[in-house]
Amino acid sequence: VSSVDVPDETAVGIIGAGPAGLVLAHLLKARGIDCVVLELHDREYVEHRVRAGVLEAPTVELLRTLGLADRLDRESLPHRGIQLAFEGRRHHIDFLDLVGRSITVYGQQEVVKDLIAARVDAGDPIVFEARDVEPVDVDTDKPLIRYRHDDEDRELRCQVVAGCDGFHGVSRPYVPDLTVYDRQYPFAWLGILAEAAPTQDELIYASHERGFALYSMRSPTITRLYLQVPADETLDGWSDDRIWSELETRLPTEDGFVLNTGPILDKGITEMRGFVATPMRHGNLVLAGDAAHIVPPTGAKGMNLAIADVFVLAGILDDVITRGRAERLADYTTACLRRVWRAQHFSWWMTSMLHRFGDDPFQRQLQLSELALVTGSVTAARNLAENYTGYPFDDMFGGET
Ligand code: APR
Ligand code: PHB
C-alpha cells in the first residue's frame, strides 16, 4: 500500500501484523468495524519468520469461521495426539480418545501468509515498513498513532489503539503502573528446520539425561527439531554435524525410531521465559498477544493465546465502537488473564517435567515419576490432553467460573 492510499482515520489502529494483529483485523472486519494495520517490517520478512506451528482446536475452528482456513484445511497436518519419550521408550498420548479433540500442525508463518493475503485481496489497509510507530494521547477519547512511512510523517486517528506488536514492541510501556510477573528458565531451545521427510506423524517430546529434545514437522518433506541448550547459548558452537549428533543421541528409542537427516534450512535460538504484564489496557490502548505475555514454547501455546486474546477483544470492541459502550474496555484484562495463567501454568509444568535442570538426582526421579503418571494414568493423561488441545475461547471450563 502506498502512503496516499492509507486512511488517516479509522476505528481501530492495530500495531503489528503477527497472528494477534491480523486475526484481530479479520474479526473486526467480520463485525463491520474498520481498522488499519501498521507493521514495522516488510511483507517478505513477516511471512518468512520461522516460529512454532501447533494450532489448538479452537484456533482452527475460529479460522474456519472467518473463512480463512482453505489452505490450512488442504495443507495442514491433523495430529490425534503426541508422544512422550523417556528412558528409551515412547508413549502415545491420544488426545482424540482422551478428550475428543486434537491439534493441527501448520506453521505460524503459513497462518500469517494466509491472513495477509486475505486482507490484501479484500483491499483492506496494511502498512508494511511503518517506522517510529508511537501511540499518542491514549488516555483521551482522541487517541492517534504517529508513524513514518516512505519518509513521510503520518498520523492515524482512531478510537482504540491495539498494541499487537509482540514482546519487543513499542506499546507495552504506554501502559503505566504495570505489574510484571517474570520467570526466566535456565535454558533455551535451539531450533532447526530441515529438508528431511518426517519418519512419523506425531510430535515427540523427549526427556533425555542430556536434555530435552522435540521432534516436530511442517510438511511431508520438512522436519522441525529442537534441542535444549544453555540459556546464554549462541549458534557459534553448533555446526550442522553437532546438531544432528545431539538429536540422534536424545531422540531415538528402543522401538527402532530413526531420524531422517537432510540440509538445514533455518537455525535459531528461542529463549524460555514466562512473562505476564497486567493490566492489558490503559484508556483507549489495549495490548494483545506477545505484547502482554509470553510463555515457554513447551506447551505450544504462544500463538493460540494471542488469538484467544483478540477473540475476547473483538467482542469488547464491538460493544465499544458499534454500541457506544466505552466502559466495556474495563473487562478486557480479567477476561484474558484466566486463560493466560492457565497457559502459563501448563507451559511451566510441561517445561519442568521434560527439561534437564542441572544434575539433581532427586529432581530427576520426580520427573520420571511424573512422566510415568502421565503415560500410565488415564486421569493424568486427560489433564495433559485437555490443556494441550485448548479450552473453548468463549467458555473456558464449560460454564463454571
Ligand atoms: N511497530 C510496528 N510493528 C511492530 C513494532 C513496531 N514498533 N514492533 C514489533 N512489530 C511487529 C512485529 O514485526 C511483528 O510482526 O508486531 C508483530 C508482532 O507479532 P508476533 O511477535 O508474532 O506477536 P503476536 O501477534 O502476539 O503473536 C504471538 O508469535 O512470537 C510468536 O511464539 C509467539 O506464537 C506466538 C505469537
Ligand atoms: C513446532 O513445531 O515448532 C513446535 C511444536 C510444539 C512445541 C513447540 C514448537 O511445543
Side-chain angles (χ1 to χ4, degrees):
V1 192
S2 83
S3 287
V4 277
D5 302 326
V6 181
D8 50 18
E9 186 158 13
T10 191
V12 183
I14 299 176
I15 307 176
L22 291 167
V23 173
L24 178 60
H26 283 285
L27 285 165
L28 292 176
K29 170 138 177 140
R31 290 171 182 268
I33 299 169
D34 283 338
C35 64
V36 174
V37 181
L38 303 176
E39 164 60 45
L40 173 63
H41 292 289
D42 63 25
R43 182 172 175 177
E44 169 77 13
Y45 178 92
V46 175
E47 291 186 343
H48 291 92
R49 240 177 338 206
V50 179
R51 295 267 182 80
V54 174
L55 307 186
E56 293 177 354
T59 300
V60 173
E61 280 161 35
L62 179 66
L63 294 172
R64 283 199 189 120
T65 307
L66 288 169
L68 294 166
D70 288 355
R71 192 166 70 97
L72 184 151
D73 280 329
R74 281 197 312 274
E75 297 179 15
S76 66
L77 308 169
H79 285 201
R80 62 178 296 140
I82 57 166
Q83 303 191 11
L84 297 178
F86 56 100
E87 295 197 304
R89 299 176 64 183
R90 280 194 287 167
H91 307 259
H92 186 219
I93 307 283
D94 193 312
F95 295 157
L96 216 50
D97 277 354
L98 288 161
V99 293
R101 56 181 193 247
S102 61
I103 52 152
T104 300
V105 171
Y106 191 61
Q108 178 168 319
Q109 73 269 36
E110 305 307 321
V111 175
V112 163
K113 273 182 211 162
D114 295 346
L115 299 181
I116 291 175
R119 194 163 166 82
V120 169
D121 287 350
D124 297 323
I126 307 189
V127 182
F128 290 101
E129 301 180 80
R131 313 287 190 207
D132 304 331
V133 168
E134 185 194 355
V136 180
D137 294 340
V138 292
D139 47 2
T140 72
D141 59 4
K142 292 195 171 33
L144 56 100
I145 305 175
R146 288 212 178 98
Y147 64 103
R148 281 185 70 75
H149 184 59
D150 283 345
D151 291 323
E152 212 183 289
D153 288 321
R154 309 262 321 170
E155 279 186 8
L156 177 68
R157 292 185 303 281
C158 46
Q159 274 173 263
V160 177
V161 176
C164 302
D165 46 353
F167 191 60
H168 302 286
V170 288
S171 302
R172 193 168 60 248
Y174 288 87
V175 180
D177 303 322
L178 277 178
T179 299
V180 164
Y181 301 86
D182 198 357
R183 165 70 52 96
Q184 216 118 16
Y185 292 85
F187 35 73
W189 280 12
L190 187 162
I192 63 163
L193 203 59
E195 210 176 307
T199 49
Q200 64 137 42
D201 54 14
E202 284 183 338
L203 273 59
I204 304 172
Y205 287 81
S207 177
H208 191 271
E209 311 298 328
R210 293 178 59 85
F212 171 74
L214 173 61
Y215 182 89
S216 180
M217 65 286 295
R218 285 291 176 275
S219 75
T221 55
I222 305 285
T223 312
R224 176 85 171 138
L225 298 145
Y226 297 93
L227 284 169
Q228 174 185 354
V229 296
D232 50 4
E233 196 75 329
T234 62
L235 287 171
D236 296 346
W238 288 92
S239 64
D240 292 7
D241 283 350
R242 180 171 175 213
I243 293 173
W244 286 119
S245 134
E246 197 60 36
L247 286 164
E248 274 166 354
T249 306
R250 296 188 198 180
L251 281 170
T253 36
E254 288 157 10
D255 54 17
F257 169 75
V258 286
L259 190 64
N260 276 344
T261 62
I264 296 182
L265 308 172
D266 187 87
K267 248 189 232 187
I269 296 202
T270 309
E271 75 167 332
M272 299 285 283
R273 186 169 182 181
F275 179 99
V276 178
T278 178
M280 292 166 64
R281 170 246 176 178
H282 172 64
N284 286 308
L285 170 68
V286 285
L287 306 176
D290 277 20
H293 40 72
I294 56 172
V295 287
T298 327
K301 288 284 165 238
M303 169 170 39
N304 298 292
L305 211 47
I307 292 174
D309 279 356
V310 296
F311 175 86
V312 170
L313 181 57
I316 290 177
L317 290 178
D318 203 1
D319 281 344
V320 172
I321 285 153
T322 316
R323 287 177 272 283
R325 296 183 54 198
E327 78 284 358
R328 286 280 282 126
L329 283 174
D331 302 333
Y332 175 59
T333 300
T334 316
C336 290
L337 281 187
R338 196 160 68 127
R339 174 181 302 272
V340 168
W341 278 109
R342 178 88 302 278
Q344 205 65 259
H345 178 273
F346 177 66
S347 308
W348 163 83
W349 175 74
M350 287 283 280
T351 302
S352 310
M353 177 169 70
L354 292 162
H355 289 72
R356 178 185 161 147
F357 288 80
D359 285 322
D360 182 353
F362 192 91
Q363 170 90 14
R364 182 63 187 151
Q365 292 306 318
L366 292 179
Q367 287 181 322
L368 291 173
S369 172
E370 184 90 53
L371 283 161
L373 181 72
V374 166
T375 54
S377 149
V378 173
T379 308
R382 188 167 284 139
N383 176 41
L384 191 161
E386 186 178 297
N387 277 277
Y388 198 108
T389 53
Y391 295 98
F393 283 169
D394 49 356
D395 190 7
M396 247 180 99
F397 299 142
E400 301 296 319
T401 47

